[in-house]
Amino acid sequence: MSGASDSPTAPAPVAARTVLVTGGARSGKSLYAEGLVRASTRECVYVATCTPHDEEMRQRIDRHRNQRGEGWRTIEEPRDLAGVLAAESTAQRAILVDCLTLWLSNLIFAEADPEAETARLAEALRAAPGPIVLVTNEVGSGIVPENALARRFRDEQGRLNRRIAELADVAVLVAAGLPLVLKPSHLQPEIRL
């Protein structure tokens, strides 16, 4: 038997106010996140957390700017994400934060309290009237780092990602340029033991 009723239907679009996009290095997560913000038809605001410390990082920033193209307002804020989101979020703006991983690095090197800053960020996300897309890296899937600072960073990044994913309406893993929706997933069965 064939026909339109036999074909799987596409899932209904998900209305999301907070989206977490995660993945490995060069996986395509920023490009995917930029596409979400651009498709919103709202004013596009890019919150950059990177602080360029060398020429290679400056080149990465330039590549990201060129990739985004015109039509974006950029705010550079390495540490006070909660403050920026509180000041900038409106129903008419879609904000892209790129990325939480560099933000966390900045906090650790400034000897700030990542747990307290994550709590501030979570509160700002809950209070934001407009959509916010946050990019982060999955860093804990590899080997255990050999030094204490790297292990602390890996652990803090895992906690940060988990906390933001819990409050996000949508969480997407991008691997090899392909998005996999982790939350919500109507296709994954409930598992009972």
Side-chain angles (χ1 to χ4, degrees):
M1 180 180 219
S2 65
S5 63
D6 295 334
S7 64
T9 58
V14 175
R17 203 180 78 220
T18 304
V19 178
L20 179 68
V21 179
T22 189
R26 312 271 68 83
S27 64
K29 59 193 176 295
S30 291
L31 188 62
Y32 177 78
E34 289 164 12
L36 289 176
V37 171
R38 198 176 293 111
S40 76
T41 69
R42 292 174 167 89
E43 176 189 355
C44 298
V45 177
Y46 185 94
V47 179
T49 62
C50 181
T51 303
H53 295 290
D54 59 28
E55 184 56 31
E56 187 268 340
M57 191 56 80
R58 280 187 276 284
Q59 290 173 4
R60 283 177 181 257
I61 291 169
D62 288 343
R63 276 195 306 272
H64 271 265
R65 278 191 189 124
N66 292 335
Q67 175 180 295
R68 279 194 309 275
E70 298 295 317
W72 291 81
R73 184 164 59 89
T74 300
I75 299 168
E76 295 180 0
E77 179 50 60
R79 292 189 14 221
D80 188 17
L81 281 185
V84 167
L85 296 180
E88 294 292 331
S89 182
T90 70
Q92 296 77 35
R93 291 183 184 139
I95 297 176
L96 171 58
V97 175
D98 199 354
C99 76
L100 292 180
T101 307
L102 292 171
W103 174 70
L104 178 62
S105 294
N106 296 336
L107 294 176
I108 289 172
F109 286 126
E111 298 182 6
D113 180 355
E115 187 176 339
E117 290 301 318
T118 298
R120 285 185 64 228
L121 174 60
E123 187 54 40
L125 290 170
R126 281 190 283 274
I132 299 173
V133 179
L134 303 108
V135 174
T136 192
N137 286 278
E138 282 302 317
V139 300
S141 299
I143 61 172
V144 175
E146 69 176 62
N147 68 71
L149 178 59
R151 286 190 299 276
R152 176 181 176 217
F153 175 78
R154 180 212 48 200
D155 293 348
E156 294 283 1
Q157 184 70 57
R159 284 189 282 272
L160 170 62
N161 288 353
R162 188 174 66 232
R163 178 101 185 257
I164 301 305
E166 286 171 357
L167 71 86
D169 301 305
V170 175
V172 179
L173 171 68
V174 178
L178 302 173
L180 174 64
V181 176
L182 303 174
K183 174 189 176 184
S185 180
H186 308 292
L187 302 176
Q188 293 180 353
E190 180 180 344
I191 298 172
R192 296 182 189 175
L193 300 179

